[in-house]
C-alpha cells in the first residue's frame, strides 16, 4: 500500500520539480533575450544617431561655405549676406540661417562669438533635449562684426529613433506576457509541490519502513528516473529540448571537428535538415567569421581553449550570423570528447554593420570612400597632409572603350596605389569617379616630403602600362596637396590647378592666392551661365580673291557682373575642370543656330575633342541640325585640340556623321602642337586654318614663310582650302596673297562684333 502510493507521490514530485526548473530556465532565457534585443537596439540607435549627426555636420558646413562663396564681393557685405540668407531660408526646408551683427544683435552676437574662439573661426554646437540631440548648429565668423549661424533640426532623426523604441516596447510586451505566464506556472508548480510534499511526509510518518523495504523503493525510483531520462518522449526531456531549441543554436562537434548533432534551431535557420549536417566537417556549416580568420577558431579548439565571436553560417538564400561560444568538453563516463558551439542570432546586427561598411567603402575598389575620409580627418589631428589624385583624360576611356573597361582600369590603378600606400605608411581612399586621396601621419611625413614622393608616383604610374582585353593604356595622374587636412576641398582645388597647368603636383599653401582667384572665377562662370551672360561674337573670314566676307567664325565671350568683356582664354580651361564646359558648348550651338537661321550666312563653331567624344554634345548637335533643316550646309565645325587626338576612330565617326547633314570640317591651329599632316590625311578635312603663331610675323620671318608655302602646296594637292589666322596688317595680308592662301581672318580683315549688334 505504502510502496504504491509513495511511488506515485514521488513521481509527481519529480515531475513538478522538472516543471519548476523548466519555468526558471524559460524565465531566465526570456529576460536574457530581452536584454540582448535591447542592447542591439541601443547599439543601432547609437549608430544611426552618430551617422546622421556626422552627415548633417558635413551638409551644414557645405551650406555655409556655399553661401559665403556666392556673396557679392563688390556690394555691402552685410547686405549681400542678408540677401543670400533670405534666399536660403526661403528655399531650404532642412536648414535655417541667421546673421548676427555686433552692433545690432549684441547679445546673440556674443553667444555666437563664444563658439568661434578658435583658429578656424568656426565651430559646431549640439543642443540636447534630455538625452537626445535636438539641434545642430554651425557658426562661422565672417569678420570681427559678422557671424553666420546655420541650424539643422534633428526632428526626423528623433522620429526614426522613436520608431525603434516603439518596436522594442511592442516586443517587450510580448516578452513580459511570456514572463507572466512563466511566473504563473511557477506559482502553480510550487503550490502543487507543497501539497505533494505534505502527502509524502504524511505517508512517511504514518508507516514504519524497514531498511530493506526502503532500499527496494529507492532502487525502483532510480530505475524509473533512469528510464525516464532515456525516454525522449517523456515530458521533462521534451520541455527541456523545446526550451533549448527555441532560444539557442547548438552544434556538437567531435574531436576531429565533425558535426555529431545539431538542434532544431540550427536546422531551421540554415535551411538544412539534420541528415545533411551530421557527419560533415564544421567548415560545411561555417567557413568564415564576420571579422577575422576562421583558422583562429580551429587553433583555439586544438589548444582546448574557449573561443567566442561572430560566425557566418552558410544558408541558401540569406545571411545568418550567430554570436557564438565554442567550448571543449570531456565526458569521463562515456569517454566522449569534442566541442560544443552555442550562440544566439545577430543577423540583423551584422546586416546593419555591413550596410554601414558599404556606405563607407567604394563598391568597385573596396577602398574606404569619401565619407570615410571625411570621418577620419574630422576626428583626428595626427595627419600632416591630404593629397588628391586625378587620372588625366580617364573620361575618354569610359566614352570610347566603355564603362566595363574603365572599371577594370580603375581596379588595377587602385591595386597599384594601395601597394604604394601600404609600403610607405600612407592611407588611401577612393573618391568620386577617377579620383583618389592619400593622407599621411605627422610622425612619418611632412608636406614637402610627400610632394617629392608624389612626383615619383606620377612616374611609376606613367611607366607601368595597363593592359585590358588587349588594349594598352598609359595612365597619367596629377596631385593636389594641402596641409589643411580638415579641408578636403583645398587639396581638390590644388589638384584641378595641377591638371589645368599640366604639372605633376601642386601644394595648395604655395598657390593659395592664385587658387582662390580660380575658385572665384569658376563661380563667376557658373553665375554667368545662369544669368545668360555668355554671349557670341562673330568675325568675318575674307576671300583673298574677291576681298568679300564668305563666312563668320563664332567666338565666345563672357560678360562679368560689372559689364566687362572676358576673353575665352581666361575662363575656358577653368570651365573644363569644373564640368561647365559642356554647358558652354551647348550655348554656342543653340545661339549660333538661332542667329544664322535668320541670317542666311555661312558660319563656323569650335569643337574640342572632349565635345566630339561626348555623346551628350553629339545628341544636342544632331537635334539642332534636325530642327534647323538647311543650316548644316552652311556650317563648318573647327576641330580644336592642344593635346593630340588619341581616339581617331571615334573622331572619324563624328566627322562622317556630321557630313551627312552637309557640314564641313576644318582643322584649327594647323602647323603647331599636335595638328599636323597626319590629321589632315586621316580626318578627311575640308579646310585647314594656319595657326596665328606662324602667320603674325610671316612678312619678316623667312623660315615661317617657307614652312607655310610647303603646307599650302601640299593642301592644294589634296584639294583642301586654306585660311590664314591672325592677319593683323597690310604687309602680312600681301604675303598671304602672294603665297596663295585662299582666305584670311584677323583684325585687319574684320573685327569681332556681338551677334545681336551685327548688321
Amino acid at each position: 500500500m505504502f510502496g504504491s502510493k509513495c511511488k506515485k507521490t514521488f513521481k509527481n514530485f519529480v515531475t513538478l520539480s522538472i516543471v519548476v526548473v523548466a519555468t526558471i530556465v524559460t524565465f531566465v532565457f526570456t529576460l536574457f533575450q530581452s536584454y540582448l534585443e535591447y542592447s542591439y537596439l541601443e547599439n543601432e540607435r547609437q549608430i544611426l544617431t552618430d551617422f546622421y549627426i556626422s552627415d548633417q555636420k558635413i551638409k551644414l558646413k557645405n551650406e555655409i561655405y556655399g553661401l559665403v562663396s556666392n556673396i557679392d564681393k563688390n556690394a555691402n557685405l552685410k547686405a549681400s549676406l542678408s540677401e543670400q540668407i533670405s534666399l536660403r531660408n526661403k528655399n531650404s526646408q532642412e536648414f535655417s540661417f541667421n546673421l548676427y551683427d555686433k552692433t545690432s544683435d549684441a547679445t546673440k552676437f556674443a553667444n555666437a562669438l563664444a563658439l568661434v574662439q578658435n583658429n578656424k573661426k568656426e565651430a559646431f554646437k549640439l543642443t540636447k533635449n534630455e538625452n537626445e540631440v535636438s539641434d545642430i548648429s554651425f557658426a562661422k565668423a565672417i569678420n570681427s562684426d559678422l557671424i553666420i549661424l546655420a541650424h539643422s533640426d534633428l526632428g526626423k532623426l528623433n522620429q526614426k529613433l522613436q520608431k525603434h523604441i516603439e518596436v522594442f516596447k511592442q516586443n517587450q510586451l510580448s516578452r513580459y506576457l511570456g514572463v507572466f505566464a512563466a511566473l504563473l506556472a511557477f506559482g502553480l508548480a510550487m503550490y502543487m509541490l507543497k501539497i505533494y510534499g505534505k502527502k509524502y511526509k504524511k505517508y512517511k510518518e504514518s508507516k514504519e519502513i524497514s531498511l530493506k523495504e526502503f532500499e527496494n523503493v529507492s532502487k525502483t525510483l532510480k530505475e524509473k528516473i533512469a528510464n525516464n531520462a532515456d525516454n525522449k518522449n517523456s515530458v521533462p526531456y521534451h520541455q527541456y529540448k523545446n526550451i533549448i531549441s527555441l532560444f539557442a543554436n547548438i552544434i556538437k562537434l567531435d574531436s576531429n571537428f565533425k558535426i555529431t548533432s545539431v538542434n532544431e534551431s540550427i536546422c531551421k535557420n540554415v535551411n538544412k535538415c539534420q541528415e545533411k549536417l551530421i557527419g560533415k566537417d564544421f567548415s560545411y556549416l561555417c567557413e568564415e567569421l564576420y571579422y577575422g580568420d576562421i583558422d583562429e577558431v580551429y587553433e583555439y579548439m586544438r589548444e582546448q581553449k574557449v573561443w567566442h565571436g561572430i560566425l557566418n553560417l552558410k544558408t541558401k538564400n540569406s545571411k545568418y550570423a550567430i554570436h557564438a561560444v565554442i567550448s571543449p568538453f570531456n565526458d569521463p563516463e562515456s569517454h566522449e570528447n569534442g566541442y560544443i558551439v552555442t550562440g544566439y542570432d545577430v543577423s540583423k546586427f551584422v546586416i546593419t554593420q555591413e550596410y554601414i561598411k558599404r556606405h563607407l567603402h567604394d563598391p568597385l575598389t573596396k577602398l574606404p570612400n569619401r565619407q570615410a575620409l571625411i570621418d577620419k580627418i574630422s576626428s583626428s589631428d595626427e595627419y600632416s597632409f591630404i593629397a588628391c589624385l586625378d587620372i588625366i583624360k580617364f573620361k575618354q576611356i569610359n566614352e570610347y572603350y566603355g564603362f566595363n573597361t574603365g572599371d577594370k582600369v580603375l581596379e588595377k590603378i587602385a591595386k597599384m596605389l594601395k601597394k604604394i600606400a601600404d609600403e610607405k605608411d600612407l592611407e588611401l581612399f577612393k573618391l568620386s569617379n577617377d579620383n583618389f586621396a592619400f593622407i599621411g601621419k605627422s610622425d612619418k611625413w611632412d608636406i614637402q616630403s610627400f610632394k617629392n614622393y608624389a612626383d615619383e608616383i606620377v612616374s611609376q604610374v606613367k611607366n607601368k602600362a595597363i593592359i585590358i582585353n588587349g588594349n594598352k593604356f598609359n595612365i597619367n595622374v596629377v596631385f593636389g596637396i594641402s596641409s589643411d587636412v580638415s579641408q578636403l576641398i583645398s587639396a581638390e582645388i590644388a589638384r584641378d590647378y595641377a591638371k589645368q597647368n599640366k604639372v605633376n603636383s601642386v601644394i595648395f599653401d604655395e598657390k593659395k592666392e592664385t587658387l582662390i582667384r580660380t575658385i572665384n572665377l569658376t563661380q563667376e562662370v557658373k553665375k554667368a551661365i545662369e544669368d545668360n551672360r555668355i554671349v557670341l561674337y562673330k568675325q568675318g573670314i575674307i576671300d583673298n580673291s574677291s576681298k568679300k566676307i564668305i563666312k563668320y567664325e563664332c567666338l565666345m565671350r563672357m560678360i562679368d557682373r560689372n559689364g566687362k568683356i572676358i576673353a575665352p582664354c581666361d575662363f575656358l580651361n577653368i570651365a573644363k575642370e569644373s564640368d561647365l564646359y559642356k554647358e558652354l558648348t551647348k550655348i554656342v550651338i543653340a545661339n549660333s543656330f538661332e542667329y544664322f537661321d535668320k541670317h542666311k550666312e555661312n558660319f563656323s563653331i569650335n569643337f574640342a575633342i572632349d565635345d566630339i567624344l561626348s555623346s551628350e554634345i553629339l545628341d544636342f548637335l544632331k537635334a539642332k541640325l534636325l530642327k534647323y533643316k538647311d543650316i548644316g550646309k552652311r556650317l563648318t565645325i573647327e576641330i580644336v585640340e592642344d593635346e593630340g587626338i588619341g581616339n581617331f576612330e571615334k573622331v572619324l565617326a563624328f566627322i562622317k556623321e556630321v557630313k551627312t547633314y552637309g557640314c564641313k570640317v576644318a582643322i584649327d591651329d594647323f602647323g603647331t602642337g599636335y595638328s599636323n599632316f597626319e590629321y589632315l590625311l586621316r580626318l578627311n578635312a575640308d579646310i585647314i586654318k594656319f595657326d596665328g603663331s606662324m602667320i603674325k610675323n610671316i612678312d619678316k620671318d623667312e623660315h615661317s614663310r617657307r614652312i607655310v608655302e610647303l603646307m599650302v602646296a601640299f593642301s592644294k594637292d589634296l584639294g583642301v582650302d586654306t585660311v590664314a589666322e591672325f592677319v593683323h596688317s597690310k604687309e602680312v595680308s600681301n604675303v598671304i596673297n602672294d603665297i596663295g592662301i585662299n582666305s584670311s581672318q584677323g583684325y585687319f580683315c574684320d573685327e569681332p562684333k556681338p551677334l545681336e549688334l551685327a548688321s
Side-chain angles (χ1 to χ4, degrees):
M1 175 72 180
F2 169 76
S4 174
K5 291 186 177 180
C6 186
K7 288 178 182 178
K8 183 177 180 181
T9 301
F10 193 81
K11 178 181 178 181
N12 292 333
F13 181 83
V14 172
T15 301
L16 287 170
S17 298
I18 294 176
V19 172
V20 170
V21 172
T23 305
I24 293 172
V25 172
T26 304
F27 177 70
V28 170
F29 270 108
T30 302
L31 291 180
F32 183 61
Q33 190 179 28
S34 298
Y35 169 75
L36 289 177
E37 186 170 349
Y38 176 77
S39 300
Y40 166 73
L41 288 170
E42 280 298 306
N43 183 54
E44 187 178 28
R45 168 194 176 104
Q46 188 60 46
I47 290 171
L48 285 171
T49 302
D50 294 344
F51 174 73
Y52 193 83
I53 289 174
S54 175
D55 186 57
Q56 292 298 99
K57 280 184 176 181
I58 294 168
K59 288 182 178 178
L60 275 174
K61 198 168 185 178
N62 288 339
E63 286 287 331
I64 286 290
Y65 276 72
L67 185 150
V68 172
S69 66
N70 282 334
I71 62 174
D72 189 346
K73 302 295 189 302
N74 298 310
N76 179 273
L77 183 59
K78 182 178 178 182
S80 182
L81 283 170
S82 298
E83 179 184 354
Q84 288 294 324
I85 286 174
S86 176
L87 289 172
R88 294 294 175 101
N89 285 335
K90 182 178 179 181
N91 296 328
S92 177
Q93 298 179 352
E94 188 174 2
F95 305 107
S96 60
F97 303 86
N98 296 96
L99 179 65
Y100 298 134
D101 187 1
K102 184 176 182 180
T103 56
S104 59
D105 303 305
T107 303
K108 293 181 178 179
F109 179 85
N111 293 335
L113 184 63
L115 292 176
V116 295
Q117 295 297 321
N118 54 62
N119 293 334
K120 296 182 180 180
K121 298 300 180 183
E122 61 186 39
F124 289 99
K125 179 183 178 184
L126 303 182
T127 304
K128 290 191 174 182
N129 181 10
E130 295 181 353
N131 293 325
E132 296 180 346
V133 177
S134 61
D135 181 81
I136 298 178
S137 301
F138 178 67
K140 180 172 182 61
I142 304 304
N143 53 37
S144 59
D145 297 324
L146 295 172
I147 296 176
I148 298 179
L149 197 67
H151 304 273
S152 173
D153 185 5
L154 297 187
K156 292 182 179 179
L157 173 61
N158 292 329
Q159 288 175 7
K160 291 181 181 178
L161 298 179
Q162 190 60 35
K163 287 183 179 179
H164 281 273
I165 294 172
E166 290 174 0
V167 169
F168 173 71
K169 287 180 178 179
Q170 291 172 2
N171 291 337
Q172 283 294 84
L173 179 60
S174 63
R175 300 281 184 271
Y176 290 147
L177 289 174
V179 172
F180 177 74
L183 290 175
L184 187 62
F186 178 75
L188 180 61
M190 291 299 293
Y191 177 72
M192 296 300 294
L193 277 175
K194 184 177 180 182
I195 292 175
Y196 282 108
K198 287 181 179 180
K199 287 183 179 182
Y200 178 73
K201 185 178 181 182
K202 182 179 179 181
Y203 279 110
K204 185 179 178 182
E205 291 175 351
S206 64
K207 299 288 183 180
E208 292 182 0
I209 307 174
S210 65
L211 179 59
K212 185 176 181 180
E213 186 179 1
F214 180 77
E215 287 176 349
N216 291 334
V217 170
S218 297
K219 182 179 179 181
T220 304
L221 285 173
K222 286 181 180 178
E223 291 174 352
K224 184 67 176 176
I225 292 171
N227 292 334
N228 196 40
D230 291 335
N231 183 5
K232 294 185 179 181
N233 293 320
S234 64
V235 174
Y237 180 90
H238 183 66
Q239 286 183 345
Y240 174 78
K241 182 170 175 287
N242 285 344
I243 290 167
I244 295 299
S245 295
L246 181 63
F247 292 106
N249 297 278
I250 299 178
I251 308 166
K252 189 176 178 183
L253 308 174
D254 64 15
S255 58
N256 295 318
F257 314 127
K258 291 189 180 295
I259 300 171
T260 58
S261 67
V262 293
N263 68 340
E264 291 181 6
S265 182
I266 284 288
C267 294
K268 178 182 177 182
N269 290 322
V270 302
N271 198 20
K272 291 183 176 69
C273 63
Q274 289 185 349
E275 288 76 10
K276 287 188 176 182
L277 296 175
I278 303 300
K280 295 288 197 304
D281 288 333
F282 184 48
S283 60
Y284 177 77
L285 191 58
C286 175
E287 65 178 0
E288 63 178 11
L289 307 183
Y290 170 64
Y291 182 79
D293 191 342
I294 190 68
D295 291 338
E296 174 191 318
V297 177
Y298 290 101
E299 188 66 28
Y300 268 68
M301 289 195 286
R302 290 188 190 98
E303 295 177 2
Q304 295 291 299
K305 294 180 181 179
V306 176
W307 181 90
H308 63 86
I310 297 179
L311 299 175
N312 287 333
L313 302 185
K314 296 179 184 178
T315 64
K316 287 185 178 180
N317 301 317
S318 61
K319 182 178 288 295
Y320 186 69
I322 61 172
H323 189 283
V325 176
I326 303 179
S327 306
F329 75 88
N330 189 358
D331 188 347
E333 293 184 3
S334 64
H335 304 289
E336 183 184 5
N337 59 74
Y339 312 92
I340 293 291
V341 183
T342 59
Y344 57 89
D345 183 6
V346 291
S347 300
K348 289 183 179 178
F349 170 76
V350 169
I351 291 171
T352 301
Q353 292 289 63
E354 289 187 348
Y355 171 78
I356 294 172
K357 185 178 179 180
R358 286 196 302 272
H359 178 75
L360 296 176
H361 283 75
D362 175 62
L364 177 65
T365 63
K366 305 299 185 293
L367 292 173
N369 64 9
R370 185 186 186 92
Q371 184 61 51
L373 173 61
I374 291 172
D375 290 347
K376 175 152 284 192
I377 61 180
S378 63
S379 61
S380 175
D381 58 357
E382 59 181 336
Y383 298 97
S384 60
F385 73 89
I386 183 168
C388 288
L389 175 150
D390 183 87
I391 303 172
I392 303 297
K393 291 192 176 297
F394 179 77
K395 179 174 63 175
Q396 293 185 7
I397 297 177
N398 274 337
E399 291 180 340
Y400 179 66
Y401 294 96
F403 288 102
N404 288 336
T405 299
D407 287 347
K408 290 177 182 178
V409 171
L410 276 180
E411 287 181 287
K412 290 209 171 188
I413 292 174
K415 288 179 181 178
M416 191 188 309
L417 296 177
K418 185 67 169 66
K419 183 180 179 182
I420 290 171
D422 292 342
E423 290 174 351
K424 294 294 184 178
D425 292 319
L426 297 165
E427 294 179 43
L428 177 65
F429 299 81
K430 172 67 170 63
L431 308 184
S432 59
N433 301 325
D434 57 339
N435 296 305
F436 295 81
F438 287 93
I439 54 175
K441 293 185 178 179
S442 303
D443 59 344
K444 302 284 185 181
W445 293 90
D446 59 47
I447 192 169
Q448 191 58 50
S449 64
F450 181 78
K451 184 185 185 304
N452 296 337
Y453 187 59
D455 293 336
E456 292 183 28
I457 295 175
V458 172
S459 297
Q460 287 183 40
V461 174
K462 184 177 182 179
N463 295 329
K464 190 171 183 180
I466 293 175
I467 299 175
I468 306 291
N469 299 328
N471 297 306
K472 183 178 179 181
F473 300 96
N474 294 105
I475 303 300
N476 293 311
V477 299
V478 295
F479 278 94
I481 311 167
S482 174
S483 62
D484 190 353
V485 180
S486 64
Q487 296 296 324
L488 173 59
I489 191 173
S490 61
E492 291 177 322
I493 293 168
R495 174 203 64 201
D496 292 342
Y497 183 86
K499 189 175 178 181
Q500 178 183 337
N501 289 274
K502 300 179 179 61
V503 294
N504 290 344
S505 59
V506 168
I507 297 178
F508 177 83
D509 312 60
E510 297 175 355
K511 300 281 186 180
K512 191 171 183 178
E513 291 184 5
T514 301
L515 294 172
I516 290 174
R517 284 197 299 271
T518 300
I519 296 171
N520 293 336
L521 186 54
T522 301
Q523 293 297 323
E524 181 64 34
V525 174
K526 184 177 180 181
K527 194 71 171 65
I529 292 173
E530 294 172 356
D531 296 344
N532 295 321
R533 288 189 280 109
I534 301 297
V535 298
L536 293 187
Y537 278 51
K538 69 174 185 177
Q539 184 178 31
I541 298 174
I542 306 297
D543 178 78
N544 288 334
S545 298
S546 65
K547 304 301 180 184
K548 293 181 180 179
I549 293 177
I550 56 171
K551 184 193 302 180
Y552 290 96
E553 179 180 357
C554 293
L555 307 171
M556 187 192 313
R557 301 287 187 267
M558 182 177 74
I559 304 174
D560 70 10
R561 301 186 193 193
N562 298 319
K564 182 181 176 182
I565 303 298
I566 309 296
C569 59
D570 293 328
F571 65 87
L572 272 186
N573 286 333
I574 292 172
K576 287 182 179 180
E577 298 305 323
S578 59
D579 292 330
L580 297 173
Y581 189 74
K582 286 182 182 179
E583 296 304 314
L584 296 177
T585 301
K586 289 180 181 180
I587 290 172
V588 171
I589 295 171
N591 291 357
S592 64
F593 278 37
E594 182 180 353
Y595 177 85
F596 285 102
D597 181 56
K598 299 173 183 176
H599 301 76
K600 305 300 180 181
E601 298 161 325
N602 297 327
F603 70 103
S604 65
I605 58 176
N606 292 306
F607 258 45
I609 295 300
D610 285 345
D611 295 321
I612 293 172
L613 297 180
S614 170
S615 57
E616 180 183 343
I617 293 298
L618 179 57
D619 290 342
F620 187 84
L621 174 64
K622 289 194 294 184
K624 293 298 182 182
L625 287 169
L626 290 171
K627 180 180 178 181
Y628 301 99
K629 299 294 184 182
D630 66 336
I631 210 163
K633 61 187 179 183
R634 295 187 281 115
L635 171 64
T636 299
I637 296 176
E638 298 185 11
I639 298 178
V640 182
E641 177 55 41
D642 59 354
E643 294 187 16
I645 298 175
N647 197 333
F648 271 103
E649 288 77 9
K650 197 155 188 177
V651 175
L652 287 171
F654 170 84
I655 292 173
K656 184 177 180 180
E657 186 158 11
V658 297
K659 283 193 173 185
T660 62
Y661 295 90
C663 303
K664 292 183 179 180
V665 173
I667 299 177
D668 200 9
D669 302 329
F670 189 81
T672 62
Y674 292 86
S675 297
N676 51 43
F677 286 110
E678 182 187 11
Y679 278 22
L680 188 59
L681 292 170
R682 295 187 65 179
L683 297 182
N684 191 26
D686 302 293
I687 303 165
I688 62 170
K689 299 183 72 173
F690 296 117
D691 185 71
S693 62
M694 303 179 66
I695 300 298
K696 63 181 179 181
N697 295 320
I698 198 170
D699 58 324
K700 302 172 184 176
D701 188 341
E702 188 63 28
H703 180 67
S704 294
R705 176 170 180 155
R706 288 179 180 177
I707 292 174
V708 173
E709 285 176 342
L710 289 173
M711 290 181 176
V712 171
F714 184 78
S715 301
K716 286 182 177 179
D717 289 341
L718 295 176
V720 176
D721 287 338
T722 51
V723 179
E725 298 181 301
F726 212 90
V727 179
H728 58 91
S729 67
K730 183 177 181 180
E731 290 76 16
V732 169
S733 178
N734 290 336
V735 174
I736 295 301
N737 290 330
D738 293 342
I739 290 175
I741 295 177
N742 300 112
S743 307
S744 298
Q745 180 180 358
Y747 272 70
F748 178 74
C749 306
D750 185 47
E751 292 188 10
K753 298 176 284 293
L755 287 188
E756 64 272 17
L757 299 180
S759 58

